[in-house]
Amino acid sequence: MSSDLPVPETRVLAIASHVVYGYVGNTMAAFVMQVLGCEVAALNTVQFSNHTGYKQFKGTRASADEIRDIYEGLKQSNLTDFDVMLSGYAPSAEAVEAIGSIARDLRFMSSMKPGSFFWVLDPVMGDQGKLYVNENVVPVYKKLLWEADLILPNQFEAEVLSEVKITSLSTLKEAITKLHQQHRVPHIIVTSVSFDESQELCVVGSTRRADGTPRFFCINVPRIDCFFSGTGDMFAALTVVRLREAVSSTRISDTEELSSVSSWISPDDVDALDLPLAKAAEKVLASMHTILEKTKKAGDEALANLASGLPGIEGSSEKLMYLRQTKAAEVRLVRNLDDLRHPAVKYKAEAV
């Protein structure tokens, strides 16, 4: 492993959306993972001009058959030697099913070597109490949960999947426990957790023990007063890298590495704060918070310096201002690579 790269050679199949302008979906995830040393094959579920937060876009959505066909093209040329699959937004229930079948096939091909394939599932369905996919997507995700190694729902998605209304830390822990025990999900991180009008956001994670009981940890970070798009994709991509890094450096005995254990589940005697998942999340949030702070600062400066309207845009001044603000909030990645590669951890995991 190069001293500049945090992970051993890692091949990732990333299945998510794609935009021409900005950083969401695979445009975000593939770049982040490549910068940190992963070989990434991007299978795009949509091709849009820009993210939907602009409230106007052009483009196409891939059908389930098109997603399967691309994968079969890889398979026929023996190009499916993936260590990790990261899946994000899918435009239909049928597309989610197609993604599940791909994960199943990759798992089968690695079945003789435990730990050699790991599926990170970001069940993109909605946020802030609202679904932005069809309701028939939800039961498909529920059926797939037991096949994933790590799921990364936000607070609303965790509610939908667990069928537990999350209004407090205790109900969040109830939801995570249910996902561990009923759906046998090995690792869970719930992102963007916020109760009341707190000035902090937190992520709450857990790796289950052999009996399905959780090992909870929480990391609190200051809230940034800006609406960003693509942060879930950024979190997922960084988690792939940092979890792979933490697992690769962990031995569970003199003769066995954690990376050779199915689903990379640490022994039951490992404390929550010593879990590779917790260590990974600390680095993930360190990179993200710094880059988003810099994005907010650059966006505010851009808005302050913008004195004239956007060329070629028709509509009211209110619409122009909204488009300006949305563009200003596009995550600044390229100019902040050092923050991706060398995160300064300020926010530590705590037991809850």
Side-chain angles (χ1 to χ4, degrees):
M1 186 191 319
S2 167
S3 60
D4 294 330
L5 301 176
V7 293
E9 188 168 342
T10 301
R11 292 180 173 84
V12 182
L13 176 61
I15 307 180
S17 59
H18 173 83
V19 294
V20 174
Y21 187 94
Y23 291 95
V24 304
N26 266 344
T27 319
M28 169 71 81
F31 179 85
V32 168
M33 291 186 287
Q34 287 167 333
V35 163
L36 295 174
C38 296
E39 296 286 351
V40 181
L43 200 169
N44 298 324
T45 58
V46 306
Q47 170 84 353
F48 287 165
S49 55
N50 48 270
H51 69 72
T52 58
Y54 284 89
K55 298 183 181 178
Q56 55 185 24
F57 60 93
K58 299 287 187 180
T60 59
R61 295 173 172 84
S63 69
D65 286 342
E66 288 169 333
I67 292 170
R68 289 191 183 95
D69 193 49
I70 294 293
Y71 177 72
E72 288 302 319
L74 294 172
K75 193 173 180 180
Q76 71 182 3
S77 297
N78 298 316
L79 302 176
T80 55
D81 53 340
F82 299 111
D83 306 293
V84 177
M85 185 173 111
L86 170 61
S87 62
Y89 175 74
S92 67
E94 294 78 14
V96 176
E97 289 174 341
I99 292 168
S101 68
I102 291 170
R104 203 170 299 121
D105 190 58
L106 292 171
R107 179 87 66 195
F108 175 77
M109 289 190 289
S110 68
S111 58
M112 298 302 292
K113 190 177 178 183
S116 62
F117 174 72
F118 193 93
W119 180 15
V120 179
L121 169 61
D122 184 1
V124 181
M125 294 183 291
D127 200 3
Q128 297 179 340
K130 295 181 180 180
L131 287 173
Y132 42 65
V133 297
N134 290 332
E135 290 185 2
N136 64 351
V137 168
V138 175
V140 180
Y141 271 125
K142 287 182 178 179
K143 290 179 182 178
L144 290 178
L145 288 178
W146 71 274
E147 299 186 69
D149 298 290
L150 164 63
I151 64 170
L152 301 172
N154 59 34
Q155 182 174 335
F156 172 67
E157 291 159 347
E159 280 188 359
V160 171
L161 293 173
S162 67
E163 300 179 359
V164 174
K165 181 65 176 176
I166 298 172
T167 58
S168 62
L169 182 58
S170 63
T171 51
L172 175 57
K173 292 167 70 173
E174 180 186 347
I176 291 174
T177 301
K178 186 174 180 181
L179 292 168
H180 275 323
Q181 296 183 342
Q182 292 192 10
H183 297 279
R184 303 298 295 169
V185 182
H187 308 276
I188 301 165
I189 298 181
V190 181
T191 63
S192 304
V193 176
S194 179
F195 304 117
D196 301 321
E197 298 298 320
S198 172
Q199 294 305 302
E200 289 187 322
L201 290 174
C202 70
V203 302
V204 178
S206 172
T207 295
R208 68 171 173 84
R209 299 182 180 88
D211 63 359
T213 55
R215 285 175 277 188
F216 293 115
F217 64 87
C218 175
I219 306 174
N220 293 290
V221 296
R223 184 192 296 272
I224 299 173
D225 185 21
C226 182
F227 181 80
F228 304 101
S229 293
T231 52
D233 306 299
M234 188 181 185
F235 187 96
L238 283 169
T239 298
V240 167
V241 175
R242 294 307 178 185
L243 181 58
R244 176 86 161 157
E245 175 188 32
V247 167
S248 298
S249 62
T250 301
R251 302 188 69 88
I252 59 175
S253 71
D254 292 339
T255 59
E256 189 174 17
E257 297 178 350
L258 183 58
S259 59
S260 66
V261 174
S262 180
S263 294
W264 304 345
I265 300 176
S266 299
D268 285 357
D269 60 354
V270 176
D271 183 75
L273 301 188
D274 295 323
L275 291 169
L277 193 66
K279 298 300 182 184
E282 289 176 343
K283 287 190 174 183
V284 169
L285 290 173
S287 287
M288 287 191 64
H289 196 265
T290 301
I291 290 173
L292 294 179
E293 281 186 322
K294 292 180 178 180
T295 295
K296 176 69 162 59
K297 180 180 179 181
D300 288 347
E301 291 173 352
L303 288 171
N305 293 332
L306 190 59
S308 59
L310 297 177
I313 301 293
E314 298 180 358
S316 67
S317 59
E318 183 178 337
K319 179 179 179 181
L320 290 176
M321 180 54 67
Y322 178 80
L323 292 173
R324 291 173 182 170
Q325 291 170 340
T326 305
K327 182 180 179 182
E330 291 278 9
V331 178
R332 266 65 167 184
L333 279 182
V334 175
R335 293 283 181 173
N336 295 302
L337 296 185
D338 193 57
D339 297 310
L340 288 175
R341 292 172 174 148
H342 307 292
V345 175
K346 295 186 289 185
Y347 310 107
K348 305 286 287 185
E350 301 174 2
V352 292

